[in-house]
Amino acid sequence: MSFDVDVSVLRGDSRIAARFATGPGATVLFGPSGVGKTSILQMVAGLLRPESGHVRVAGETLFDADARIDVRPDRRRIGYVFQEARLFPHMRVAANLRYGQRRGEGDSDGIVAMLGIGHLLDRWPRSLSGGEARRVAIGRALLSGPRVLLLDEPLSSLDRARRGDILDALVAVRDRTGIPILMVTHDPDEAERIATDIVRL
């Protein structure tokens, strides 16, 4: 089982909670904006602490309120791609990809080829289109040697053509790497294209 999640937290006046157990492939958290999808992703990543429940990823317990287990975010081996690419502006694309790469892990040539970003390696982030920057961000996350990949609205603010390119890249990641994906979206077409499991919120 890739994801076994049962979490709950109070944010302001709203209770955000989710419970799901899904297998290999891509799990999509699907629902309207404001329902708490990003908060759930952050609880899996360790960026937001649940008040109760557990988070188990790829067979390892990362959080368990009853057992008092709470693995630090930097030790969870999670690749996280935010809504914004968050590339380092003072580093060219190649250096951004190498940042955080685990020694001996990550097939950089294979990932660069899979994502179609080989021609971007000598470019500065400011010169990239939105779609190019997202693909570089996905590549950087994959090269960190993650056990899972978390994607927070990775296609937001992109035009239809760029969305198609990124979706194709994500399907390739899902099918070729075997790394489980947990992705947030409110777009039904995106959910249908990438998901092997859909969690409706």
Side-chain angles (χ1 to χ4, degrees), residues 8-97:
S8 177
V9 70
L10 187 65
R11 301 206 82 177
D13 296 328
S14 300
R15 171 68 59 183
I16 297 170
R19 178 185 298 171
F20 57 92
T22 57
T27 299
V28 169
L29 302 180
F30 176 75
S33 297
V35 77
K37 301 184 299 296
T38 294
S39 294
I40 294 163
L41 209 67
Q42 290 175 343
M43 285 189 273
V44 173
L47 304 177
L48 175 63
R49 192 177 192 280
E51 294 172 358
S52 63
H54 63 259
V55 174
R56 299 186 183 105
V57 171
E60 181 173 344
T61 299
L62 303 180
F63 175 82
D64 190 312
D66 293 337
R68 297 184 179 179
I69 296 171
D70 189 8
V71 178
R72 283 177 13 200
D74 60 312
R75 295 188 178 276
R76 293 193 180 198
R77 287 190 61 187
I78 286 175
Y80 198 122
V81 179
F82 295 86
Q83 290 185 26
E84 312 84 26
R86 298 195 182 188
L87 302 178
F88 297 112
H90 61 291
M91 295 180 179
R92 294 182 190 269
V93 165
N96 265 281
L97 289 170

Side-chain angles (χ1 to χ4, degrees), residues 38-190:
T38 294
S39 294
I40 294 163
L41 209 67
Q42 290 175 343
M43 285 189 273
V44 173
L47 304 177
L48 175 63
R49 192 177 192 280
E51 294 172 358
S52 63
H54 63 259
V55 174
R56 299 186 183 105
V57 171
E60 181 173 344
T61 299
L62 303 180
F63 175 82
D64 190 312
D66 293 337
R68 297 184 179 179
I69 296 171
D70 189 8
V71 178
R72 283 177 13 200
D74 60 312
R75 295 188 178 276
R76 293 193 180 198
R77 287 190 61 187
I78 286 175
Y80 198 122
V81 179
F82 295 86
Q83 290 185 26
E84 312 84 26
R86 298 195 182 188
L87 302 178
F88 297 112
H90 61 291
M91 295 180 179
R92 294 182 190 269
V93 165
N96 265 281
L97 289 170
R98 288 193 300 269
Y99 184 85
Q101 183 175 4
R102 287 175 172 266
R103 187 181 299 253
E105 291 199 42
D107 174 10
S108 58
D109 291 341
I111 287 171
V112 165
M114 178 176 62
L115 295 174
I117 55 176
H119 64 294
L120 304 175
L121 296 179
D122 202 40
R123 298 258 300 271
W124 295 102
R126 64 179 174 272
S127 74
L128 303 178
S129 69
E132 289 170 341
R134 297 292 169 84
R135 282 186 287 170
V136 172
I138 293 166
R140 184 174 64 182
L142 289 171
L143 285 170
S144 69
R147 61 161 60 88
V148 295
L149 186 63
L150 306 188
L151 305 167
D152 189 1
E153 298 274 10
L155 310 181
S156 63
S157 74
L158 298 179
D159 61 36
R160 184 169 295 277
R162 297 293 180 269
R163 283 186 190 181
D165 291 344
I166 300 300
L167 270 175
D168 289 344
L170 291 176
V171 169
V173 170
R174 181 195 69 193
D175 294 343
R176 296 185 200 173
T177 69
I179 297 172
I181 294 171
L182 183 61
M183 174 174 151
V184 163
T185 185
H186 63 272
D187 186 298
D189 293 334
E190 292 175 16

